[in-house]
């Protein structure tokens, strides 16, 4: 019975750490894309397109 508790506790800890790593990665990706989207007008102003003709 003690081994079952140890195995379940280990699985729970591993699942918790995996979920925390996933959420941290997801938030990091979202923040980077938000910065990229908000800096779009600055990039467009810095590198204007050439006129069509």
């Amino acid at each position: 019975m003690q081994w079952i508790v140890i195995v379940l506790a280990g699985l729970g800890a591993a699942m918790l750490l995996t979920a925390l790593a996933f959420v941290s990665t997801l938030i990091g990706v979202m923040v980077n894309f938000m910065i990229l989207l908000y800096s779009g007008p600055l990039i467009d102003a810095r590198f204007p397109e050439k006129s069509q003709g």
Side-chain angles (χ1 to χ4, degrees):
M1 185 69 171
Q2 183 179 0
W3 285 104
I4 294 172
V5 173
I6 292 172
V7 169
L8 289 177
L11 284 173
M15 288 175 19
L16 182 64
L17 288 175
T18 303
L20 286 173
F22 175 74
V23 170
S24 296
T25 304
L26 186 67
I27 290 173
V29 168
M30 286 175 52
V31 167
N32 282 326
F33 276 115
M34 285 172 53
I35 291 170
L36 183 68
L37 286 173
Y38 276 107
S39 66
L42 295 174
I43 295 171
D44 289 340
R46 179 77 171 130
F47 302 107
E49 291 184 30
K50 298 189 180 201
S51 56
Q52 294 291 330

